[in-house]
Amino acid sequence: MMHSIGPTLARNTPACRLRTSTRAFTAVHGLRPSGPIRRSACRVAASAAVASFDFSKNGGYVTYNARDTRPEPAKLPPPPKSGEDLTHVLPYILKLALAEKQLSWRLGAAMILMLASKAAGISAPLFLKAAVDTLSAGGAAILPALRCVLLFGLCGIVQQLTKELCHPTFTPISQAVARRVAYQTFSHVLELDITFHMNRRTGRLSRILERGTRSIQMLYRAVLFTFAPTFIELVFVITLLATQFSPMVALLVGGTFVLYVAWTLTMTQAAVEVRKQVNQLDNLTTSKAVDALLNAETVALFGNRQLEVNQYDHYLRGYQAAAIQTERLAALLNAGQSVILSAGQG
């Protein structure tokens, strides 16, 4: 039986904490403690055995049991070295996705759905063109034109359905990998020596853990739902242009795309160093705020309130300058991309 200590005992009083500890100890060990055990061991049992969190508006709970026998996430493979490019990062995140054996089929399913979405999206204008050409030819061509129009609508439906199904199909993989990375990272941090924890920067560390977990999902989303679909669609379009129109037109489109990618990579590399500064200053700002608040009594005791505020403002000014530089580079990137696309279309 799963017992839970819900938020109904949220009042942080000694009596409530004692009742909570007693119930947890009784639920786990089947006996009611007394004497010193009720004041000490029960609190350990309450925190280590069972904990519940208010999860939904209708009063539901997500309950954790310390006796849960489900296997822990597998160890992570050796990560790529810091500063390496996407050619080393992409194989690593692909290896992480394929390591989820019970979910690996979802990767193939998501790729099939993505291909179907792009194929339907490219086929739809062709059916519309066929319908217009059929009607323009005149004669008793209503039925073939109607068939092309129906296929055009069907392609639009397939494109939207497969596109929307890609996300829920692949999300369990990205969530499982993010959980695995977060689990192993948190475990590694707790296994560090006491010197690290004595000199901890709680705010900075929590920010790094949060950003690292979120970046895994962002990478998967960018690669699977942005880079790969764009490349596949480009191949389809160039092939179609080369066969239906002229190889010169296909070459022009391909050259425009190459310039577009080259400009994007150049500006992205230039923005990497600035982004690193932004992240570092963000870590320092969060660390200063959280650590000062956690040690508010010590700060007040030594009269360092204004000193902490001034240091916090110093980090904020640095973050502001770096963020402005990032926006300038982003504007330059977008402007260059627009110029290249406009030149290619002209």
Side-chain angles (χ1 to χ4, degrees):
M1 179 178 295
M2 185 82 67
H3 300 270
S4 64
I5 305 167
T8 55
L9 293 177
R11 295 183 299 275
N12 191 20
T13 62
C16 288
R17 291 197 300 269
L18 184 57
R19 288 195 298 271
T20 300
S21 303
T22 302
R23 291 171 185 169
F25 191 91
T26 304
V28 175
H29 299 284
L31 52 88
R32 186 174 182 82
S34 60
I37 299 179
R38 180 178 296 182
R39 294 189 296 269
S40 58
C42 293
R43 291 190 175 93
V44 177
S47 60
V50 184
S52 297
F53 306 93
D54 192 2
F55 182 72
S56 61
K57 294 182 180 179
N58 59 3
Y61 298 100
V62 175
T63 306
Y64 163 73
N65 192 336
R67 295 173 295 178
D68 194 348
T69 58
R70 286 178 293 184
E72 65 181 35
K75 296 291 185 180
L76 295 174
K81 297 180 180 179
S82 178
E84 290 186 342
D85 54 17
L86 286 177
T87 57
H88 295 85
V89 175
L90 292 182
Y92 180 75
I93 64 174
L94 180 61
K95 185 187 299 184
L96 290 178
L98 294 176
E100 303 295 331
K101 300 299 183 182
Q102 70 279 14
L103 298 175
S104 57
W105 65 270
R106 289 181 173 272
L107 180 60
M111 295 298 295
I112 292 174
L113 289 171
M114 182 188 64
L115 290 173
S117 176
K118 290 303 178 182
I122 293 175
S123 300
L126 297 179
F127 287 118
L128 182 61
K129 174 183 177 299
V132 174
D133 292 342
T134 302
L135 291 175
S136 300
I142 300 299
L143 188 59
L146 181 59
R147 187 183 301 113
C148 291
V149 171
L150 291 177
L151 290 174
F152 168 76
L154 180 62
C155 285
I157 294 174
V158 171
Q159 179 188 12
Q160 292 300 322
L161 287 178
T162 52
K163 180 180 179 182
E164 295 302 327
L165 285 174
C166 274
H167 294 275
T169 301
F170 185 77
T171 296
I173 296 181
S174 62
Q175 291 290 340
V177 173
R179 169 178 170 264
R180 181 183 174 192
V181 172
Y183 178 94
Q184 297 297 344
T185 304
F186 186 64
S187 175
H188 172 73
V189 170
L190 289 181
E191 290 175 355
L192 295 176
D193 57 26
I194 194 63
T195 304
F196 172 82
H197 293 285
M198 291 297 293
N199 297 323
R200 71 186 185 280
R201 295 290 185 269
T202 304
R204 182 177 184 179
L205 184 59
S206 63
R207 189 66 172 155
I208 292 174
L209 291 174
E210 176 190 359
R211 187 183 294 117
T213 303
R214 189 173 63 248
S215 64
I216 295 294
Q217 302 181 42
M218 292 178 62
L219 276 174
Y220 279 124
R221 188 176 298 273
V223 171
L224 187 62
F225 301 118
T226 302
F227 298 157
T230 301
F231 179 76
I232 293 173
E233 187 173 8
L234 177 69
V235 172
F236 283 164
V237 169
I238 290 178
T239 303
L240 181 64
L241 291 175
T243 55
Q244 299 294 327
F245 294 94
S246 169
M248 186 60 64
V249 176
L251 183 61
L252 180 61
V253 173
T256 302
F257 180 76
V258 170
L259 289 176
Y260 184 93
V261 172
W263 174 259
T264 302
L265 291 177
T266 301
M267 295 307 300
T268 302
Q269 288 298 118
V272 166
E273 295 301 324
V274 180
R275 174 54 59 181
K276 289 181 180 179
Q277 295 179 10
V278 170
N279 290 340
Q280 183 178 6
L281 289 167
D282 184 35
N283 294 339
L284 292 173
T285 302
T286 305
S287 175
K288 175 56 64 176
V290 173
D291 292 342
L293 292 174
L294 288 177
N295 299 281
E297 295 180 358
T298 305
V299 172
L301 179 63
F302 288 94
N304 286 338
R305 288 194 182 96
Q306 192 58 43
L307 176 63
E308 296 293 331
V309 172
N310 290 339
Q311 290 180 351
Y312 183 71
D313 182 60
H314 173 73
Y315 294 141
L316 285 177
R317 288 198 300 268
Y319 179 84
Q320 178 183 1
I324 292 174
Q325 182 64 18
T326 300
E327 291 299 324
R328 290 173 180 170
L329 291 174
L332 185 59
L333 169 64
N334 295 332
Q337 290 174 341
S338 300
V339 170
I340 293 173
L341 291 177
S342 298
Q345 293 173 358

